[in-house]
Amino acid sequence: KAVVSTQSTGIPDISEENKAVIYRRLYEYFFEEVDAVDNGINATEGKPRYHVTTTLSGRVRALNPKWNDKEQDFDGQFQKAMNLVGKELTDRVEGMARVWLPALELVKQSFEDRFSVHPSGKIIKLAGEGCPWKEHLYNLEEEAGCEGSVLYVISQSSDSHRVMAVGVRGEGFTNRLSLPEKWMGVRDDALSEISGIPQCVFVHANGFIGGNKTEEGALAMAVKSLDMQGQA
């Protein structure tokens, strides 16, 4: 808690409540992992499918003096390990305060406004290009008791607007509702023709994302996808 308080003092408009939010997240996504590794607790049941060697613990372990070094500088290597862990910890706190927390505020507002975007509440319109939204959306749905309700997210990219299918939590590349199959892998005028929506740019071959030159067009793609698949 002292680290959170110290690192966030230079960040304006961060309340004690939000400091507590950062502390809880820091424990779940930083200290819990370190504690588990220190106590020999595996992250998964059964045999891992591949080797993970670049974790914080792995990088600290790599700083141990080599067994065959003629001169083993334990104190010097320990200091390097302290610096490594300290920087990672403070970077995490600053990232949570300056990036993660502002994103939460944006996604929360979008989630609360979802019924003004579409009467179903299944589409949210997200302000802020590149704003990380997935984890926040899942948590907000859980808190509201409506897990799985939002199917599409509309956001701006550098040169167009995106419609993104929300993934199933914890299931990798599985979408709650992909964009229509007949749109997948189609681009530009051909996509506009088969969808009936002008200024379409693309739909990915897996149907998890599409683009339109305008925000109205991206929203129209999401709404039509709901209609075509009986989700409106």
Side-chain angles (χ1 to χ4, degrees):
K1 288 185 178 179
V3 174
V4 171
S5 182
T6 301
Q7 287 300 115
S8 57
T9 52
I11 302 169
D13 301 324
I14 183 165
S15 64
E16 291 301 317
E17 179 183 359
N18 281 339
K19 287 181 183 179
V21 169
I22 293 172
Y23 170 73
R24 289 192 295 270
R25 177 176 169 78
L26 189 66
Y27 179 79
E28 183 177 357
Y29 286 90
F30 189 88
F31 289 111
E32 193 169 43
E33 174 192 340
V34 174
D35 285 344
V37 171
D38 190 51
N39 287 283
I41 300 172
N42 291 326
T44 60
E45 297 291 339
K47 185 178 179 180
R49 298 180 65 180
Y50 53 87
H51 296 289
V52 179
T53 61
T54 57
T55 61
L56 177 61
S57 298
R59 284 178 281 132
V60 169
R61 190 182 307 114
L63 289 173
N64 281 318
K66 307 301 184 287
W67 71 270
N68 54 352
D69 285 345
K70 291 184 178 180
E71 295 184 6
Q72 297 186 332
D73 183 9
F74 285 95
D75 290 341
Q77 293 302 104
F78 183 74
Q79 186 62 52
K80 289 181 182 179
M82 287 179 58
N83 294 339
L84 171 68
V85 175
K87 186 176 188 308
E88 182 132 352
L89 176 57
T90 54
D91 284 350
R92 289 290 186 95
V93 173
E94 184 166 347
M96 289 176 190
R98 293 187 181 274
V99 179
W100 181 85
L101 198 60
L104 171 58
E105 298 301 323
L106 283 178
V107 179
K108 184 177 181 180
Q109 188 62 56
S110 298
F111 181 71
E112 291 173 350
D113 294 343
R114 65 193 184 281
F115 289 102
S116 66
V117 177
H118 190 263
S120 69
K122 295 178 180 180
I123 305 170
I124 67 171
K125 190 185 298 182
L126 190 62
E129 184 178 342
C131 175
W133 55 267
K134 291 183 181 180
E135 178 192 356
H136 294 313
L137 177 61
Y138 295 145
N139 291 338
L140 289 166
E141 286 181 328
E142 185 177 357
E143 291 170 9
C146 59
E147 292 102 323
S149 62
V150 177
L151 301 180
Y152 295 119
V153 175
I154 308 297
S155 73
Q156 185 175 359
S157 67
S158 58
D159 58 353
S160 63
H161 294 263
R162 299 285 190 253
V163 51
M164 296 172 284
V166 179
V168 177
R169 190 173 197 172
E171 295 191 20
F173 299 105
T174 303
N175 300 319
R176 291 175 177 176
L177 186 71
S178 298
L179 292 166
E181 186 174 355
K182 70 176 184 178
W183 296 1
M184 295 179 186
V186 186
R187 300 186 60 89
D188 303 322
D189 290 343
L191 179 56
S192 292
E193 183 176 349
I194 65 170
S195 68
I197 301 169
Q199 296 187 290
C200 287
V201 178
F202 77 100
V203 168
H204 191 276
N206 289 333
F208 77 94
I209 189 171
N212 193 284
K213 293 179 182 178
T214 69
E215 182 179 86
E216 294 78 10
L219 177 58
M221 291 173 72
V223 171
K224 189 153 191 178
S225 182
L226 292 180
D227 290 340
M228 290 174 64
Q229 301 182 77
Q231 294 289 328

